[in-house]
Amino acid sequence: QKEVEQDPGPLSVPEGAIVSLNCTYSNSAFQYFMWYRQYSRKGPELLMYTYSSGNKEDGRFTAQVDKSSKYISLFIRDSQPSDSATYLCAMFGNNRLAFGKGNQVVVIP
Amino acid sequence: DAGVIQSPRHEVTEMGQEVTLRCKPISGHDYLFWYRQTMMRGLELLIYFNNNVPIDDSGMPEDRFSAKMPNASFSTLKIQPSEPRDSAVYFCASSLARTSGGADTQYFGPGTRLTVL
């Protein structure tokens, strides 16, 4: 089993829809969970990070972590064409950092 | 602040040649990360440093790859000899030490697009 699994998509949604992304992982040492957004031909930029289990909300973005299931999610409400990008999950713990492969999202106007 | 600076932005070389990629982290940041990104494999962490000391180099593919951080403001990633399968975008990122070990607020550079013919 891969350390971090993320379905690469692509995922196409109409403008205004809710985008739901998720990752699963196998390393129980992971304590910090991040979501990065990457536009084409740019470096990733941090969207959100969460420590341990729970929810975190920032504007239209909500991150959820369920450590018991080793499952994390990112929700984007009222999606906009500017949200079209690749979203990568990342996890860190015990000096180990790992990224998902990324999920390409296209928001159609 | 200028952000993380990488050079060159593009590199085209022939198989067997030595390639050196350079990175200048954000001033004051004490973590530095090197990544490789391809369509097939996604973003892969190669190595990261804390206070110029390598912490995890388990992602370095093989002995042809080496990374150094001689001081807090400069790091290199060297590939010798290069092979076509090394073609990828190489990113450098830096962050400030926090309880999460610097992993939660990384700032990425623009990347170096490497093509090995």
Side-chain angles (χ1 to χ4, degrees), chain B residues 70-81:
Chain B
N71 58 63
S73 59
F74 183 68
S75 177
T76 59
L77 178 68
K78 189 174 292 187
I79 308 172
Q80 166 64 14

Side-chain angles (χ1 to χ4, degrees), chain B residues 53-90:
Chain B
V53 176
I55 302 301
D56 183 0
D57 65 354
S58 60
M60 295 288 264
E62 49 198 272
D63 291 346
R64 296 186 298 107
F65 285 70
S66 63
K68 292 183 180 180
M69 192 164 186
N71 58 63
S73 59
F74 183 68
S75 177
T76 59
L77 178 68
K78 189 174 292 187
I79 308 172
Q80 166 64 14
S82 58
E83 297 182 4
R85 59 192 169 118
D86 301 331
S87 297
V89 180
Y90 290 81

